[in-house]
Amino acid sequence: MADITQDELKQNVEGHDGLQWIRGGGMERGWNGIHYKQGLSGKNVGAQNLSINVATIPPKGVAHAHIHVDFEVMLYIVQGHVRHEYGPGLKQVVEHQGGDFIYIQPGIPHEVFNMSDTEEVVAFVARSTADEWDKIVTYDRNSE
């Protein structure tokens, strides 16, 4: 998916008097093997401390190893089955499925694998930063 400009991010936003919205989740964007419904952030509604969107990982897809720098993430798995490898060297493993809530502390290395050959993973993602994935860095599992 192509990069989307800030003006394009704002084009689907409606609202006034302190209430803003995007009907139907707006356009899709991609980053690090994940597809995102546009959602809301500092980039399109002026949020100061949070952002939300819906993430999709295609069948057999991977959200490659990364770290969230100085912000928290909470997810709700709407559908699908994932495996998280996390911690130093990504040596810890846990699986999650539709209906699970997940909290990821700042600075925790993790990689997410869609365990299905046929079904995408869909998750609602909330971050304690208004800039979405600008404060995410790649992680090399062999670095530790």
Side-chain angles (χ1 to χ4, degrees), residues 41-53:
S41 70
K43 295 177 180 179
N44 60 5
V45 297
Q48 299 295 306
N49 299 304
L50 63 113
S51 60
I52 62 168
N53 53 26

mmCIF file with all atom_site columns, all heavy atoms in Angstrom, residues 41-53:
data_model
loop_
_atom_site.group_PDB
_atom_site.id
_atom_site.type_symbol
_atom_site.label_atom_id
_atom_site.label_alt_id
_atom_site.label_comp_id
_atom_site.label_asym_id
_atom_site.label_entity_id
_atom_site.label_seq_id
_atom_site.pdbx_PDB_ins_code
_atom_site.Cartn_x
_atom_site.Cartn_y
_atom_site.Cartn_z
_atom_site.occupancy
_atom_site.B_iso_or_equiv
_atom_site.pdbx_formal_charge
_atom_site.auth_seq_id
_atom_site.auth_comp_id
_atom_site.auth_asym_id
_atom_site.auth_atom_id
_atom_site.pdbx_PDB_model_num
ATOM 1  N N   . SER A 1 41 ? -6.121  9.781  14.811 1.00 0.00 ? 41 SER A N   1
ATOM 2  C CA  . SER A 1 41 ? -4.816  10.052 15.420 1.00 0.00 ? 41 SER A CA  1
ATOM 3  C C   . SER A 1 41 ? -4.571  11.557 15.432 1.00 0.00 ? 41 SER A C   1
ATOM 4  O O   . SER A 1 41 ? -5.412  12.336 14.987 1.00 0.00 ? 41 SER A O   1
ATOM 5  C CB  . SER A 1 41 ? -3.707  9.358  14.619 1.00 0.00 ? 41 SER A CB  1
ATOM 6  O OG  . SER A 1 41 ? -3.537  9.984  13.358 1.00 0.00 ? 41 SER A OG  1
ATOM 7  N N   . GLY A 1 42 ? -3.407  11.925 15.883 1.00 0.00 ? 42 GLY A N   1
ATOM 8  C CA  . GLY A 1 42 ? -3.005  13.327 15.819 1.00 0.00 ? 42 GLY A CA  1
ATOM 9  C C   . GLY A 1 42 ? -2.867  13.816 14.391 1.00 0.00 ? 42 GLY A C   1
ATOM 10 O O   . GLY A 1 42 ? -2.948  15.012 14.130 1.00 0.00 ? 42 GLY A O   1
ATOM 11 N N   . LYS A 1 43 ? -2.685  12.887 13.460 1.00 0.00 ? 43 LYS A N   1
ATOM 12 C CA  . LYS A 1 43 ? -2.485  13.258 12.065 1.00 0.00 ? 43 LYS A CA  1
ATOM 13 C C   . LYS A 1 43 ? -3.757  13.711 11.370 1.00 0.00 ? 43 LYS A C   1
ATOM 14 O O   . LYS A 1 43 ? -3.699  14.406 10.368 1.00 0.00 ? 43 LYS A O   1
ATOM 15 C CB  . LYS A 1 43 ? -1.873  12.084 11.300 1.00 0.00 ? 43 LYS A CB  1
ATOM 16 C CG  . LYS A 1 43 ? -0.483  11.752 11.786 1.00 0.00 ? 43 LYS A CG  1
ATOM 17 C CD  . LYS A 1 43 ? 0.085   10.556 11.074 1.00 0.00 ? 43 LYS A CD  1
ATOM 18 C CE  . LYS A 1 43 ? 1.482   10.268 11.611 1.00 0.00 ? 43 LYS A CE  1
ATOM 19 N NZ  . LYS A 1 43 ? 2.082   9.107  10.991 1.00 0.00 ? 43 LYS A NZ  1
ATOM 20 N N   . ASN A 1 44 ? -4.917  13.301 11.892 1.00 0.00 ? 44 ASN A N   1
ATOM 21 C CA  . ASN A 1 44 ? -6.138  13.707 11.193 1.00 0.00 ? 44 ASN A CA  1
ATOM 22 C C   . ASN A 1 44 ? -7.196  14.362 12.077 1.00 0.00 ? 44 ASN A C   1
ATOM 23 O O   . ASN A 1 44 ? -8.079  15.031 11.569 1.00 0.00 ? 44 ASN A O   1
ATOM 24 C CB  . ASN A 1 44 ? -6.741  12.547 10.405 1.00 0.00 ? 44 ASN A CB  1
ATOM 25 C CG  . ASN A 1 44 ? -7.121  11.365 11.256 1.00 0.00 ? 44 ASN A CG  1
ATOM 26 O OD1 . ASN A 1 44 ? -7.036  11.393 12.474 1.00 0.00 ? 44 ASN A OD1 1
ATOM 27 N ND2 . ASN A 1 44 ? -7.534  10.293 10.598 1.00 0.00 ? 44 ASN A ND2 1
ATOM 28 N N   . VAL A 1 45 ? -7.134  14.194 13.399 1.00 0.00 ? 45 VAL A N   1
ATOM 29 C CA  . VAL A 1 45 ? -8.109  14.871 14.256 1.00 0.00 ? 45 VAL A CA  1
ATOM 30 C C   . VAL A 1 45 ? -7.459  15.715 15.342 1.00 0.00 ? 45 VAL A C   1
ATOM 31 O O   . VAL A 1 45 ? -8.140  16.263 16.194 1.00 0.00 ? 45 VAL A O   1
ATOM 32 C CB  . VAL A 1 45 ? -9.123  13.877 14.892 1.00 0.00 ? 45 VAL A CB  1
ATOM 33 C CG1 . VAL A 1 45 ? -9.949  13.192 13.820 1.00 0.00 ? 45 VAL A CG1 1
ATOM 34 C CG2 . VAL A 1 45 ? -8.439  12.875 15.801 1.00 0.00 ? 45 VAL A CG2 1
ATOM 35 N N   . GLY A 1 46 ? -6.140  15.783 15.328 1.00 0.00 ? 46 GLY A N   1
ATOM 36 C CA  . GLY A 1 46 ? -5.444  16.602 16.306 1.00 0.00 ? 46 GLY A CA  1
ATOM 37 C C   . GLY A 1 46 ? -5.342  15.988 17.689 1.00 0.00 ? 46 GLY A C   1
ATOM 38 O O   . GLY A 1 46 ? -5.056  16.688 18.662 1.00 0.00 ? 46 GLY A O   1
ATOM 39 N N   . ALA A 1 47 ? -5.556  14.675 17.806 1.00 0.00 ? 47 ALA A N   1
ATOM 40 C CA  . ALA A 1 47 ? -5.430  14.011 19.105 1.00 0.00 ? 47 ALA A CA  1
ATOM 41 C C   . ALA A 1 47 ? -4.047  14.287 19.688 1.00 0.00 ? 47 ALA A C   1
ATOM 42 O O   . ALA A 1 47 ? -3.066  14.375 18.961 1.00 0.00 ? 47 ALA A O   1
ATOM 43 C CB  . ALA A 1 47 ? -5.642  12.505 18.951 1.00 0.00 ? 47 ALA A CB  1
ATOM 44 N N   . GLN A 1 48 ? -3.964  14.402 21.002 1.00 0.00 ? 48 GLN A N   1
ATOM 45 C CA  . GLN A 1 48 ? -2.708  14.705 21.671 1.00 0.00 ? 48 GLN A CA  1
ATOM 46 C C   . GLN A 1 48 ? -2.005  13.482 22.235 1.00 0.00 ? 48 GLN A C   1
ATOM 47 O O   . GLN A 1 48 ? -0.779  13.435 22.270 1.00 0.00 ? 48 GLN A O   1
ATOM 48 C CB  . GLN A 1 48 ? -2.962  15.697 22.819 1.00 0.00 ? 48 GLN A CB  1
ATOM 49 C CG  . GLN A 1 48 ? -3.539  17.019 22.357 1.00 0.00 ? 48 GLN A CG  1
ATOM 50 C CD  . GLN A 1 48 ? -2.569  17.784 21.480 1.00 0.00 ? 48 GLN A CD  1
ATOM 51 O OE1 . GLN A 1 48 ? -1.437  18.017 21.884 1.00 0.00 ? 48 GLN A OE1 1
ATOM 52 N NE2 . GLN A 1 48 ? -3.008  18.168 20.294 1.00 0.00 ? 48 GLN A NE2 1
ATOM 53 N N   . ASN A 1 49 ? -2.767  12.481 22.705 1.00 0.00 ? 49 ASN A N   1
ATOM 54 C CA  . ASN A 1 49 ? -2.147  11.385 23.451 1.00 0.00 ? 49 ASN A CA  1
ATOM 55 C C   . ASN A 1 49 ? -2.634  9.992  23.085 1.00 0.00 ? 49 ASN A C   1
ATOM 56 O O   . ASN A 1 49 ? -2.334  9.040  23.802 1.00 0.00 ? 49 ASN A O   1
ATOM 57 C CB  . ASN A 1 49 ? -2.377  11.590 24.949 1.00 0.00 ? 49 ASN A CB  1
ATOM 58 C CG  . ASN A 1 49 ? -1.753  12.874 25.437 1.00 0.00 ? 49 ASN A CG  1
ATOM 59 O OD1 . ASN A 1 49 ? -0.560  13.075 25.263 1.00 0.00 ? 49 ASN A OD1 1
ATOM 60 N ND2 . ASN A 1 49 ? -2.544  13.738 26.014 1.00 0.00 ? 49 ASN A ND2 1
ATOM 61 N N   . LEU A 1 50 ? -3.412  9.854  22.025 1.00 0.00 ? 50 LEU A N   1
ATOM 62 C CA  . LEU A 1 50 ? -3.868  8.523  21.679 1.00 0.00 ? 50 LEU A CA  1
ATOM 63 C C   . LEU A 1 50 ? -4.188  8.413  20.198 1.00 0.00 ? 50 LEU A C   1
ATOM 64 O O   . LEU A 1 50 ? -4.375  9.419  19.510 1.00 0.00 ? 50 LEU A O   1
ATOM 65 C CB  . LEU A 1 50 ? -5.078  8.099  22.523 1.00 0.00 ? 50 LEU A CB  1
ATOM 66 C CG  . LEU A 1 50 ? -6.348  8.920  22.371 1.00 0.00 ? 50 LEU A CG  1
ATOM 67 C CD1 . LEU A 1 50 ? -7.412  8.054  21.722 1.00 0.00 ? 50 LEU A CD1 1
ATOM 68 C CD2 . LEU A 1 50 ? -6.825  9.358  23.729 1.00 0.00 ? 50 LEU A CD2 1
ATOM 69 N N   . SER A 1 51 ? -4.210  7.167  19.732 1.00 0.00 ? 51 SER A N   1
ATOM 70 C CA  . SER A 1 51 ? -4.627  6.861  18.366 1.00 0.00 ? 51 SER A CA  1
ATOM 71 C C   . SER A 1 51 ? -5.296  5.491  18.376 1.00 0.00 ? 51 SER A C   1
ATOM 72 O O   . SER A 1 51 ? -5.012  4.655  19.235 1.00 0.00 ? 51 SER A O   1
ATOM 73 C CB  . SER A 1 51 ? -3.437  6.875  17.399 1.00 0.00 ? 51 SER A CB  1
ATOM 74 O OG  . SER A 1 51 ? -2.463  5.929  17.765 1.00 0.00 ? 51 SER A OG  1
ATOM 75 N N   . ILE A 1 52 ? -6.217  5.280  17.427 1.00 0.00 ? 52 ILE A N   1
ATOM 76 C CA  . ILE A 1 52 ? -6.905  3.996  17.308 1.00 0.00 ? 52 ILE A CA  1
ATOM 77 C C   . ILE A 1 52 ? -7.063  3.652  15.836 1.00 0.00 ? 52 ILE A C   1
ATOM 78 O O   . ILE A 1 52 ? -7.152  4.527  14.981 1.00 0.00 ? 52 ILE A O   1
ATOM 79 C CB  . ILE A 1 52 ? -8.292  3.987  17.989 1.00 0.00 ? 52 ILE A CB  1
ATOM 80 C CG1 . ILE A 1 52 ? -9.234  5.006  17.343 1.00 0.00 ? 52 ILE A CG1 1
ATOM 81 C CG2 . ILE A 1 52 ? -8.183  4.219  19.470 1.00 0.00 ? 52 ILE A CG2 1
ATOM 82 C CD1 . ILE A 1 52 ? -10.679 4.833  17.768 1.00 0.00 ? 52 ILE A CD1 1
ATOM 83 N N   . ASN A 1 53 ? -7.086  2.365  15.569 1.00 0.00 ? 53 ASN A N   1
ATOM 84 C CA  . ASN A 1 53 ? -7.455  1.879  14.249 1.00 0.00 ? 53 ASN A CA  1
ATOM 85 C C   . ASN A 1 53 ? -7.701  0.381  14.328 1.00 0.00 ? 53 ASN A C   1
ATOM 86 O O   . ASN A 1 53 ? -7.637  -0.211 15.399 1.00 0.00 ? 53 ASN A O   1
ATOM 87 C CB  . ASN A 1 53 ? -6.429  2.246  13.172 1.00 0.00 ? 53 ASN A CB  1
ATOM 88 C CG  . ASN A 1 53 ? -5.022  1.837  13.506 1.00 0.00 ? 53 ASN A CG  1
ATOM 89 O OD1 . ASN A 1 53 ? -4.794  0.901  14.251 1.00 0.00 ? 53 ASN A OD1 1
ATOM 90 N ND2 . ASN A 1 53 ? -4.062  2.541  12.972 1.00 0.00 ? 53 ASN A ND2 1
#
